Amino acid sequence: MSGPALEIEAVHKTFTLHAQGGVTLPVLRGVSLAVAPGECVVLADPSGAGKSTLLRAIYGNYVPQAGRILVRHDDRVVDLVGASPRLVLDVRRRTVGYVSQFLRVVPRVPVVEVVAEPLRATGVPHPEARDRARAILDRLRIPARLWPLSPVTFSGGEQQRVNVARVFVVAYPVLLLDEPTASLDAEARGLVVDLIDEARGRGTAVLGTVHDAAVRARLATRVQTLSDSVAA
Amino acid sequence: MSRVEERPLLGVRGLGKRYGAQTGCLDVGFDLWPGEVLGVVGESGSGKTTVLNCLSGRVAADAGRVEYAARDGRIVDVLGLDESARRRLLRSEWGIVHQNPRDGLRMGVTAGANVGERLMALGARHYGQIRGLALDWLAQVEIDLDRIDDLPETFSGGMLQRLQIARTLVTGPRLVLMDEPTGGLDVSVQARLLDLLRGLVAELDLSAVIVTHDLAVARLLAHRLIVMRGGEAVESGLTDQVLDDPQHPYTQLLVSSVLHP
């Protein structure tokens, strides 16, 4: 096990808004950075600098125009820029987990199934997936009476914890965390910080954004800005 | 699932169909891999249903090639099949879910018979086993078991669609073609059906092509999308990528025109 789990090389991302006269919005201009197993790199740029865009590009949600996004997937390194949807899906299933700021689920599906689903996608049998889902929901202090309910009606903080649960229920080797502790109270923040630390201890490579200065100081093994990474 | 199949289940190349001077679809191509759900989206008249109908043989394509990797390992030239071979394929390996469940059901026989007769068409003869399987499937699609001997006429729209799904899936198809499976249903019924479809597709490891004009449905059901306009595929890719970072001007227009309640 040597070399980074995630390496970004000179990634460019510009949005072209065809419906608005073809306006172009350059967001990422040659971003490079690497995250080793067990590292937690926190991006510390101000809002609007493109942190979320970078995380989404790594997850295959946004299409970069240039550069390479190299991820160690099983025992090989794959470039996600220009990769087939099938490869990206496989990387998402087993290697890269992404905590977004939004929870998007099928209406009426109970929270325990929402959290079990990513595990089932990795081939874990349904009963075991459900047990592990319950365990992580419990750990994140989502009360058991809520487990049979759809998270659609949950509070912002509860939804955020569900978002965290459905990613941390699988032991992904790479984690992308977009404000994982935003909208959480101090207690829940502590629980999420512990989960991130544990994952790092297992050798997970973490790249994220955290506005809260105290949480950032607590989590980051390295703080970087996108502008540093362009210069580098 | 860590799958290493090297061969797509379905390979479509240069599919084309004209209706006189009108283009039905033009040069449509894609691969569908085992366990994958492909959404075909676009507005009315974009050609999405034509693509589905060309695949199922309901409409004869003018151009292109469709290759299907059958259960026994043979590669089947789907467009070149004669009528009886095509029917055999549809009965044994493929399933079709029509937008209007009445097109996929036999309205004159009971719910149980609707599910059971697809099995009998494949040679099942043991009444008790057929009825047992029919009951299993009615339960899977959440239809009360005491409705097994009722005629579909007495069912609501949502129940009819679920019955059609049971009838289609009871024979264990490997590929399912669905045309607007949640179209025409009340929103609350849609949500339940979406959840059901998603669960079944994952549980049974089905491959599916789903035609829909509803981008929210596509987001929840499909792994990949093809966006069609004027008979042509203008964009394709991972579902969330196409919807969150659309590249083609038409896809951008389509995505930005959706109302978010």
Side-chain angles (χ1 to χ4, degrees), chain A residues 1-212:
Chain A
M1 293 280 278
S2 63
L6 170 68
E7 188 165 17
I8 294 146
E9 292 180 1
V11 164
H12 287 257
K13 173 63 189 169
T14 296
F15 292 93
T16 305
L17 309 179
H18 294 287
Q20 294 174 51
V23 172
T24 57
L25 301 171
V27 179
L28 304 176
R29 309 179 206 221
V31 171
S32 300
L33 62 87
V35 188
E39 255 196 313
C40 178
V41 176
V42 175
L43 300 170
D45 305 74
S47 296
K51 303 184 297 294
S52 296
T53 297
L54 178 64
L55 296 180
R56 283 167 173 254
I58 298 168
Y59 200 59
N61 182 227
Y62 286 171
V63 189
Q65 279 79 29
R68 300 207 296 168
I69 294 171
L70 304 171
V71 173
R72 191 192 296 152
H73 181 52
D74 295 334
D75 44 10
R76 62 197 174 117
V77 172
V78 296
D79 183 358
L80 295 181
V81 177
S84 71
R86 194 162 163 257
L87 174 60
V88 176
L89 287 173
D90 194 49
V91 167
R92 287 182 182 182
R93 203 150 32 222
R94 299 185 294 118
T95 299
V96 178
Y98 167 53
V99 176
S100 76
Q101 298 184 59
F102 310 96
L103 180 65
R104 202 184 311 252
V105 293
V106 180
R108 302 176 51 176
V109 177
V111 68
V112 66
E113 299 297 340
V114 168
V115 175
E117 191 192 354
L119 266 182
R120 294 178 68 193
T122 66
V124 174
H126 198 175
E128 185 193 335
R130 232 187 246 147
D131 286 346
R132 286 167 63 182
R134 290 191 189 103
I136 190 127
L137 285 167
D138 190 42
R139 188 157 171 200
L140 284 163
R141 308 272 158 87
I142 302 280
R145 66 186 158 77
L146 296 182
W147 298 352
L149 307 180
S150 161
V152 173
T153 55
F154 286 13
S155 73
E158 284 163 349
Q159 290 197 355
Q160 181 59 15
R161 278 179 282 159
V162 172
N163 251 340
V164 169
R166 69 190 309 237
V167 171
F168 281 83
V169 76
V170 177
Y172 298 106
V174 176
L175 285 175
L176 308 172
L177 310 177
D178 197 350
E179 295 294 341
T181 57
S183 72
L184 297 183
D185 60 29
E187 188 204 9
R189 221 163 30 231
L191 296 169
V192 172
V193 165
D194 287 346
L195 278 174
I196 297 170
D197 274 348
E198 267 172 39
R200 234 170 29 74
R202 286 195 303 268
T204 299
V206 183
L207 176 63
T209 67
V210 181
H211 269 295
D212 185 299

Side-chain angles (χ1 to χ4, degrees), chain A residues 13-19 56 59-65 84-86 88-90 92-94 104-110 117 120-123 126 166, chain B residues 1-6 33-34 36 188-189 191-192 194-195 198-199 202-203 219-220 223-224 237-238 240-242 244-249 252-253 256 260:
Chain A
K13 173 63 189 169
T14 296
F15 292 93
T16 305
L17 309 179
H18 294 287
R56 283 167 173 254
Y59 200 59
N61 182 227
Y62 286 171
V63 189
Q65 279 79 29
S84 71
R86 194 162 163 257
V88 176
L89 287 173
D90 194 49
R92 287 182 182 182
R93 203 150 32 222
R94 299 185 294 118
R104 202 184 311 252
V105 293
V106 180
R108 302 176 51 176
V109 177
E117 191 192 354
R120 294 178 68 193
T122 66
H126 198 175
R166 69 190 309 237
Chain B
M1 261 140 275
S2 53
R3 341 175 106 272
V4 282
E5 290 88 356
E6 290 312 318
W33 295 84
E36 201 173 45
S188 61
V189 179
R192 184 167 173 205
L194 269 179
D195 175 30
R198 221 164 97 115
E203 204 75 44
R219 186 189 281 274
L220 293 175
H223 299 114
R224 279 194 301 132
L238 216 54
D240 59 279
Q241 178 260 296
V242 170
D244 294 339
D245 187 17
Q247 307 292 304
H248 191 277
Q252 289 192 358
L253 179 69
S256 65
H260 294 282

Side-chain angles (χ1 to χ4, degrees), chain B residues 122-170:
Chain B
L122 284 181
R125 287 293 173 264
H126 188 286
Y127 177 79
Q129 280 172 8
I130 293 171
R131 191 170 169 93
L133 262 175
L135 280 167
D136 268 3
W137 270 97
L138 291 181
Q140 288 235 43
V141 300
E142 301 166 16
I143 291 176
D144 281 339
L145 298 186
D146 54 13
R147 304 296 302 269
I148 186 170
D149 296 318
D150 292 352
L151 290 177
E153 283 299 351
T154 64
F155 286 13
S156 67
M159 281 170 74
L160 282 177
Q161 193 56 292
R162 282 180 276 134
L163 181 61
Q164 186 189 197
I165 288 166
R167 176 181 160 96
T168 305
L169 297 185
V170 68

